[in-house]
Amino acid sequence: MLVDRASAGTTDGIAVMKAPPGAYVEEPARSTPVYGSCDVLVIGGGPAGTAAAVAAGRLGADVMLIERYNHLGGLATGGLVSWIDRMTDWDGNLVVAGIGAELIDRCGPDATLGPDPDLWGSTDPVQAAYWRVRTAALRDTVHWSPTLDPEVLKLVTHDLVRESNVHTIMHCWVVAAITTGTRVEGVIFESKQGRYALTAPVVIDCTGDGDVFAQAGAAFDDDFDSETAHARLNTSFRFGNVDMRRYLDFRMLQQGEYAEVMKRAAEQGIKLLAHPTPYDSIALFLSPKMAGYSALDVADLTAVEFASRDAAREGLEFFRESVPGFERAWILDTASQVGTRHARRLVGRERITIDHWLADGGYADSIGLCPGMTPSFPTLEIPYRSLVPEHLDGLLAAGRNLSADTRAHAALREIPECWAMGEAAGVAAVQSLDDAVDLRAVDIAGLQAQLARQGAIVDRPQDHRKLRDPAGILEAELAGTIHHQRSFE
């Protein structure tokens, strides 16, 4: 559910400080010790960052991965966004694979909720109804959009980076980029151990918020679609000791009563929807999604943390009293990191636009795919140039901080696309070093061939859907997507 800032609750206890106008503190000059050097330096251990590090490490590069939290996987794990968005197109073709698919496979069937491959693309009403309430069917079509156990996903992600000889350092926060002219040559990080420098000929910004390229002076966009969930924030949470089978039966078989209960909840300010997980005793909540807050403002982020946990407490009381299956539920956990959908987007050598996507969606330098937001959209080919800064050298940006307009970005920020972009960035980084060329001059055919050898998908199915006459339908089409709805959970 979407919530405006004015209705999100109290701001008591949040530090909104007022500084005197023009006040600064002069810091003494310092010499920063170098922690180390490597071939490829990846900043951010979320889906894009782990895929980039693994891809580069497997190709023999000396890779260092820097992460600020105590785990890898980013929002897919620590953010409890363990419902992975669609990896199949509207015809059931798998369009995102590679390292992301390997991670899901390693989670195993016990830690994965999702339909079997023979159901992907099915429009059978019974199957669609069954999987719709299990977040794996959209517009009466069954998709491969699994829900995973985030703790298992952490474990297999940790396994993968270690097997790939990636040097990982957690509990570090990058605070500055090291640049010479227009070339990025490393970063400065802070930690409990102190302030250090890391240097590398290739740096990959997988922070999600574009922290590194912003620090390096790259141009970026920060506009957002204020009417939808595009830039909304929340901290997710889970309830334990739930009878999810009973709840799902109630939701499917007593739809009138279910709607009445949810209406009563909304009237009381409870704007939550329970998502199933691989376990019948656990419910996942990815809401309420809060508007009017900035992912780059620490006071705003703090307010979201308070309001989200207040929503969990208030929601628990209502669900215990009113929703079948939740009578003895408790708050199992709240996410260790806030759910951020947008902060900065790179101004890259190519900017993906919703108009081009709807009209064709093809790019000659495709390094991964994104399924169409509706059946009227073709599968999008993600261009390598959307990861390459317009003017900076030595840096790529992979993940939700890629170059795109707001409406295309709404789908491209999802976890499968971040896996795909990260894997491509890792391969491109190694290729640029091996061929002694700038990142903008990487051989695209060679990059695509290597990705294909690794199991990634860069080419659309031959029979992918193309809309013959896109004029005049954009608004109607977007209004019905999960990324652009104005009242989606």
Side-chain angles (χ1 to χ4, degrees), residues 187-207:
V187 300
I188 305 291
F189 73 86
E190 298 271 11
S191 71
K192 291 286 188 181
Q193 191 174 346
R195 181 181 176 96
Y196 289 90
L198 285 164
T199 62
V202 178
V203 177
I204 305 178
D205 185 344
C206 296
T207 61

Side-chain angles (χ1 to χ4, degrees), residues 315-361:
L316 178 65
E317 182 178 356
F318 179 88
F319 270 66
R320 278 177 170 173
E321 293 176 353
S322 305
V323 181
F326 284 82
E327 292 84 354
R328 302 182 64 188
W330 58 65
I331 297 176
L332 175 65
D333 56 3
T334 58
S336 59
Q337 59 189 94
V338 66
T340 302
R341 293 165 178 83
H342 173 267
R344 307 181 187 95
R345 307 186 314 281
L346 179 73
V347 172
R349 300 194 68 207
E350 179 63 59
R351 184 171 184 259
I352 303 170
T353 67
I354 197 70
D355 291 327
H356 176 72
W357 187 350
L358 184 58
D360 176 74

Side-chain angles (χ1 to χ4, degrees), residues 179-419:
T179 60
T180 300
T182 61
R183 179 167 292 278
V184 178
E185 297 181 335
V187 300
I188 305 291
F189 73 86
E190 298 271 11
S191 71
K192 291 286 188 181
Q193 191 174 346
R195 181 181 176 96
Y196 289 90
L198 285 164
T199 62
V202 178
V203 177
I204 305 178
D205 185 344
C206 296
T207 61
D209 298 327
D211 293 342
V212 180
F213 66 64
Q215 293 160 356
F220 60 85
D221 294 317
D222 58 4
D223 58 315
F224 59 91
D225 183 353
S226 62
E227 296 298 319
T228 71
H230 176 233
R232 301 197 179 214
L233 300 173
N234 71 284
T235 297
S236 299
F237 50 88
R238 296 186 294 180
F239 291 171
N241 202 34
V242 176
D243 186 344
M244 281 302 288
R245 293 191 181 188
R246 184 163 170 242
Y247 163 74
L248 291 173
D249 284 345
F250 172 66
R251 184 175 167 188
M252 288 181 65
L253 303 178
Q254 298 172 259
Q255 295 181 19
E257 293 179 46
Y258 170 79
E260 183 59 34
V261 169
M262 291 297 101
K263 178 182 177 183
R264 184 154 43 88
E267 291 170 349
Q268 297 180 29
I270 309 297
K271 300 180 179 181
L272 301 177
L273 179 69
H275 294 273
T277 72
Y279 312 118
D280 290 335
S281 61
I282 298 176
L284 170 65
F285 294 85
L286 302 172
S287 52
K289 298 174 182 176
M290 303 178 197
Y293 298 93
S294 169
L296 302 176
D297 185 302
V298 291
D300 279 3
L301 292 169
T302 304
V304 169
E305 298 282 14
F306 277 120
S308 294
R309 289 177 173 84
D310 286 344
R313 177 171 52 192
E314 294 159 7
L316 178 65
E317 182 178 356
F318 179 88
F319 270 66
R320 278 177 170 173
E321 293 176 353
S322 305
V323 181
F326 284 82
E327 292 84 354
R328 302 182 64 188
W330 58 65
I331 297 176
L332 175 65
D333 56 3
T334 58
S336 59
Q337 59 189 94
V338 66
T340 302
R341 293 165 178 83
H342 173 267
R344 307 181 187 95
R345 307 186 314 281
L346 179 73
V347 172
R349 300 194 68 207
E350 179 63 59
R351 184 171 184 259
I352 303 170
T353 67
I354 197 70
D355 291 327
H356 176 72
W357 187 350
L358 184 58
D360 176 74
Y363 291 95
D365 58 339
S366 170
I367 47 81
L369 304 179
C370 178
M373 285 189 273
T374 76
S376 294
F377 277 76
T379 295
L380 174 72
E381 295 179 328
I382 304 171
Y384 172 68
R385 289 166 296 156
S386 67
L387 315 184
V388 182
E390 194 171 36
H391 300 298
L392 281 181
D393 298 312
L395 182 135
L396 293 172
R400 71 170 184 265
N401 45 209
L402 84 160
S403 182
D405 69 12
T406 59
R407 290 185 164 183
H409 179 265
L412 287 163
R413 63 177 169 79
E414 298 289 355
I415 290 164
E417 289 66 39
C418 290
W419 277 328

Side-chain angles (χ1 to χ4, degrees), residues 5-62:
R5 182 172 189 161
S7 61
T10 179
T11 58
D12 292 347
I14 300 167
V16 182
M17 306 297 291
K18 291 185 178 180
Y24 291 91
V25 172
E26 296 296 330
E27 296 186 78
R30 67 177 92 183
S31 295
T32 302
V34 176
Y35 189 90
S37 299
C38 58
D39 297 328
V40 179
L41 175 59
V42 182
I43 312 302
T50 51
V54 167
R58 285 177 169 177
L59 292 175
D62 183 16

Side-chain angles (χ1 to χ4, degrees), residues 225 354-355 358 377 407 470 472-481 484 486:
D225 183 353
I354 197 70
D355 291 327
L358 184 58
F377 277 76
R407 290 185 164 183
I473 71 163
L474 179 60
E475 293 301 327
E477 283 294 313
L478 289 181
T481 70
H484 291 271
R486 286 154 172 76

